[in-house]
Structures are given as structure tokens and as C-alpha cells.
Amino acid sequence: MEQRPRTSAMRTGRLARTAVPARLAGAAALRWLGTFRYRGARREEKRKEAVLRTAEDVTRAMGEMKGAAMKVGQVLSMLSGVVPPEMAEGLASLQSNAPPMAYGLVEEALEAAYGQPASRVFRRFEREPFAAASIGQVHRAELRDGANVAVKVQYPGVREAIERDLANVAIVLGLGGLVAKGLDIETLVRDLGEGIRGELDYRREAAWQQRFFDAFEGHGFVRVPRVYHELTTDTVLVQEWLPGRPFREAVKLPQAERNRLGEMLYRFCFGSIYRHGLFNGDPHPGNYLLLEDGTVGFVDYGCVAEFDEAVIEGFKRLIRALDRGDREGWRAATEAIGILLPNAPFTTDELYEHMHWYWAPILEDEVEFTPELAAEMVRRNTMTTGLGGQINRHCNVPEGMVFLTRINFGLAGLFASLRARGPWRAIVREYVDGTPPSTELGRLSAATTREGAPI
């Protein structure tokens, strides 16, 4: 097996973090200029090669830089249709195959967290991480009582690197030909900044995970790993080990199984909002596990939001209006919740034509998520030119809603990779109108929740 490269301590200085984007920009510019030596179809072929080479460079750089650069890369990998397929495939590797840090640094981080060597805390600690992500990597370990655990260790220096990255990552993504026209990269980076900073506190993450564990303990298809709070610190999180396969393997499954998995994710993500007021806002394959008993393990809670009852009621009013085709009621609901600014100078039909894509999956009885649908959902909501751009300037992302946008876009890309088809409209009616479970999974969920209502 080929050895993955190892990283030393994360470079956090401004010059070190800025040199990479500058180097990439220079290389991309030279490649693009080189294409002008050719004409016609040959020039187009060379331009595609230039984009692919640049995409490879960006993917590699984001993995090595970690921090915010890698996190944005993870998000872009899910926005099916926004980046070239070659780049999306490469960025997808950032979900679970980032270059790990050297084990000596892991030992230093653990000793700094516990005030003693890791060998005194764990009976066994595997040197090789089984996952390396944007702000930390995860090792399998065994506690003194024999329990198998997953230990997430934060990269030394990542807090400082985050701030450098948020300033630099827009440069990387602005390289010619890498992203679809109309995608507002700066807005994406700014919105992600707040969530990324929150993910740096592992005690906070552990508290959110406990909320989800309590809500879903014993559920029919949702597994949330137990947290070991006594061993969790600001920079180390210890949780129950869930043996399973990476979720990215789901794309190889038969369509019926992909549809079933899509529904499990849909119910977990949106059912959590309506049933518990909680929202896990980081939907990417690295956070899900395919467990042997057919359930799904949800293992990351670094990006969570909580909505109060008034906000949830606002969601319900908006969806009811959409469901009955009441466009004026829909417009009023979008204004009431703060998504659309009052008195926008557009007709309701103009607004609906542009904005309804955000809710497209629940406007018909059964919808298949395709790459084209996912791309259109993102494109409409990030346009900066034309009528769509004018409308977007009268739209708003209310406090806390950045997570909702993130999960809608993220799930759309994830479902598109599965080509998941399902009765999303009927599922949402269960939450909004209290209708009986509309699917087999809905009935299983209702039978295994304390409330007796399906997620």
C-alpha cells in the first residue's frame, strides 16, 4: 500500500500560508497563457488539461494546508455541477484521505491535553490514523476497561492557520476555470468562517453530540456514538468506536439501497430540526458510516445549530404555502422569516421563478436528485448577475441560517452522487402537518422514538 505523505507541525505564519495560493495562481496563469499557442478544438483540449492540472494542484494544496482551506474544499466537493467533475473527484478525497500529521505530533498533542503520556490514558493507541480531516485526525484506541474508542486529535497550530486561510482560500478558488460562473466564493468563505471557528472547541462539540445521542438512543436506523466526556478536552475528543464502511462506498450500491440511504440521511438532517430543534450542519460523506446492521452512524457534531420554536413555525408556514401553491403566502413567509427583505422591487412570480429551486425537491410527489438539479439549486442561490443577481441582493441569510444553506447545498450534492429518489414532499408533510409516516423507514422511526413521531 502506498504511504500517504506526512505533515509536520502546521505552518501558521502569514507568509507561509500565503505563499501557497500565490504559487498556485502563478502556475495556473502560465498554463492558461500556454493554451493561446493553439487554435480551435486543440485549444479547447489544452484548456481542459490546464483546468485539470490546476484542480489537481488545488486539491493537493488544500489537503496539505488543512484548516479552512481544506474545509472549503470539502464543501466544494459536494456541490455537484459547480466545479469540474475531475476536481470534484479529487476534492472528495479530502473527506477522509488528507495527509496525516506525524505520530510524534499526535503524542505531543495528547500529552499537552492530558498532562501525561497517552500510554497512561489508553491501553492501546493506533499510530496510523483512520481518518484525517480539516482540523484534526482520528485514531482508533482502546481504553483501560477494554472499550474501543475513536480519538479525534486537533492539529497543533490549526487555530492560527484558520484565520490565515480564510483570507487566502478565495485566491485559490478564484483560479481560472475552476468554479462555475456566478458562484460567489467570497460569500461562501465568509459564511463558513463562523462555523469553522466554532468547530475548534471539542468540548462544545461533545456537548452537542450528547444532545443528539440522547435524542436518538435506540433509534431504528440512526446511530450516534457515545461521548467519553471525562477524556474529552478542548483539543481531544473521545467517542465510541463504530465499526463500519465509508459512506462514499454507497455510490456502488444498487439504486434501491441508495434511495434507502438517501431517505435515512434526509430524515436525520431535517427530522432533527422539526422534532428536536437541532441541526447538524456539516453534511459530507466523511461524517457518515455504513454500519453492518444496515443503520447509519453519524459521527461528527462540530457544526451544529439550534432553532427555537418561533423559527421552526416560520419554516412550517413557508412550506405550507409552497405545498398549496400559495405564492403570495410563500412570499410573505419568506419575508417574515428574514430570507427575503421586505418590499423587494420584483413581482411575486419573478421571485418564485428564481427562488423556488431552493425547495425544488419538495414541490413534486417524488423527485430524483440529479447533478443538474443540485447545480441549479446552488447556481440560483449564488448568482451575482442578471435578474437572479438583482433578486439575490434583496435576499438575506438570517442569523443561524447559514447552516441551513450549507446543509441544503451539501445534501443536494451528496444525494446527486447517489441519484437518490424519494417522496421528500410527503416526508416533510409528516413534520409540518403531522401526517402519518409515509414510508417504511418513517414507520420504523416512529416505532423507535420516545415521541412516537418519525424523524
Side-chain angles (χ1 to χ4, degrees):
M1 180 179 295
E2 184 178 78
Q3 285 288 100
R4 291 181 296 177
R6 294 182 172 278
T7 62
S8 56
M10 182 174 288
R11 295 173 295 173
T12 59
R14 177 174 300 179
L15 290 177
R17 302 296 286 184
T18 305
V20 174
R23 176 174 53 79
L24 291 176
L30 287 174
R31 288 192 193 107
W32 195 255
L33 286 173
T35 65
F36 285 95
R37 293 182 296 169
Y38 304 90
R39 295 181 180 278
R42 184 63 172 160
R43 177 182 290 181
E44 186 63 28
E45 179 184 337
K46 287 295 182 181
R47 287 189 170 180
K48 288 181 179 178
E49 290 179 8
V51 169
L52 177 57
R53 289 282 305 281
T54 301
E56 291 171 347
D57 285 352
V58 169
T59 299
R60 183 166 53 253
M62 284 181 165
E64 292 171 351
M65 289 175 73
K66 296 186 171 67
M70 184 173 170
K71 178 63 70 174
V72 172
Q74 290 175 344
V75 172
L76 281 177
S77 75
M78 297 181 294
L79 302 186
S80 179
V82 173
V83 298
E86 301 87 354
M87 185 177 183
E89 183 177 347
L91 291 173
S93 69
L94 298 180
Q95 308 294 358
S96 58
N97 289 322
M101 63 176 162
Y103 184 66
L105 290 174
V106 176
E107 290 183 309
E108 290 176 16
L110 290 171
E111 186 160 356
Y114 294 129
Q116 59 182 325
S119 59
R120 295 184 182 177
V121 180
F122 304 97
R123 175 188 292 175
R124 181 178 56 83
F125 194 96
E126 293 187 0
R127 297 174 64 92
E128 293 293 327
F130 67 84
S134 54
I135 64 175
Q137 65 188 41
V138 190
H139 294 254
R140 187 175 181 179
E142 184 181 332
L143 300 183
R144 291 293 175 183
D145 64 3
N148 290 317
V149 295
V151 183
K152 181 156 65 171
V153 184
Q154 193 171 111
Y155 300 126
V158 72
R159 293 169 185 263
E160 295 81 2
I162 288 289
E163 299 307 321
R164 306 300 185 203
D165 285 349
L166 289 173
N168 292 329
V169 75
I171 299 173
V172 175
L173 298 177
L175 301 181
L178 287 188
V179 295
K181 294 179 180 179
L183 180 63
D184 188 345
I185 292 297
E186 300 227 357
T187 298
L188 172 66
V189 173
R190 185 178 63 248
D191 289 349
L192 286 173
E194 181 181 348
I196 293 172
R197 293 183 185 99
E199 293 180 45
L200 293 169
D201 184 351
Y202 283 179
R203 290 187 194 274
R204 174 177 175 271
E205 178 175 349
W208 283 123
Q209 186 164 332
Q210 187 65 49
R211 294 277 300 276
F212 278 86
F213 178 85
D214 293 341
F216 290 102
E217 187 175 10
H219 192 270
F221 57 79
V222 172
R223 285 284 304 280
V224 178
R226 170 193 169 193
V227 179
Y228 290 82
H229 295 279
E230 69 277 11
L231 295 176
T232 294
T233 73
D234 291 345
T235 57
V236 178
L237 192 153
V238 181
Q239 61 183 296
E240 173 189 5
W241 165 266
L242 294 183
R245 293 176 294 145
F247 192 85
R248 64 178 180 273
E249 294 185 11
V251 298
K252 304 173 186 176
L253 297 174
Q255 187 62 56
E257 292 184 46
R258 283 184 274 144
N259 291 343
R260 181 177 173 84
L261 285 170
E263 183 180 339
M264 288 180 182
L265 262 63
Y266 194 94
R267 286 185 175 278
F268 173 77
C269 293
F270 294 106
S272 295
I273 299 176
Y274 290 98
R275 302 306 189 198
H276 305 292
L278 296 173
F279 183 55
N280 190 358
D282 196 5
H284 70 71
N287 291 341
Y288 310 135
L289 288 172
L290 304 176
L291 305 184
E292 291 302 318
D293 61 0
T295 64
V296 176
F298 296 86
V299 298
D300 190 289
Y301 297 86
C303 184
V304 173
E306 185 170 18
F307 296 124
D308 61 32
E309 190 60 35
V311 172
I312 293 174
E313 283 302 315
F315 292 160
K316 290 180 178 180
R317 285 195 296 274
L318 188 156
I319 290 171
R320 287 188 186 114
L322 282 172
D323 201 23
R324 62 177 179 263
D326 178 5
R327 294 192 181 185
E328 291 300 336
W330 163 79
R331 178 173 186 163
T334 59
E335 292 179 354
I337 208 170
I339 294 174
L340 177 68
L341 299 178
N343 304 313
F346 310 99
T347 68
T348 299
D349 286 344
E350 287 174 330
L351 291 170
Y352 183 83
E353 171 56 28
H354 174 68
M355 296 174 66
H356 81 273
W357 291 95
Y358 192 78
W359 298 278
I362 62 171
L363 296 180
E364 298 178 29
D365 289 339
E366 191 166 278
V367 171
E368 177 184 341
F369 278 91
T370 63
E372 294 75 22
L373 172 59
E376 190 65 13
M377 290 173 67
V378 174
R379 189 183 75 84
R380 292 278 181 163
N381 283 274
T382 55
M383 288 178 67
T384 58
T385 59
L387 179 60
Q390 295 175 39
I391 291 174
N392 284 346
R393 285 191 284 276
H394 287 80
C395 293
N396 183 40
V397 180
E399 185 178 358
M401 297 291 181
V402 63
F403 297 103
L404 195 61
T405 302
R406 179 173 172 179
I407 201 170
N408 269 286
F409 288 175
L411 282 176
L414 185 59
F415 290 164
S417 70
L418 297 174
R419 287 194 170 266
R421 185 176 186 86
W424 322 114
R425 184 182 201 171
I427 292 172
V428 170
R429 283 173 176 163
E430 297 171 19
Y431 310 144
V432 173
D433 297 325
T435 59
S438 56
T439 67
E440 174 192 344
L441 284 175
R443 289 184 284 275
L444 173 61
S445 180
T448 54
T449 59
R450 298 189 187 95
E451 301 81 7
I455 59 163

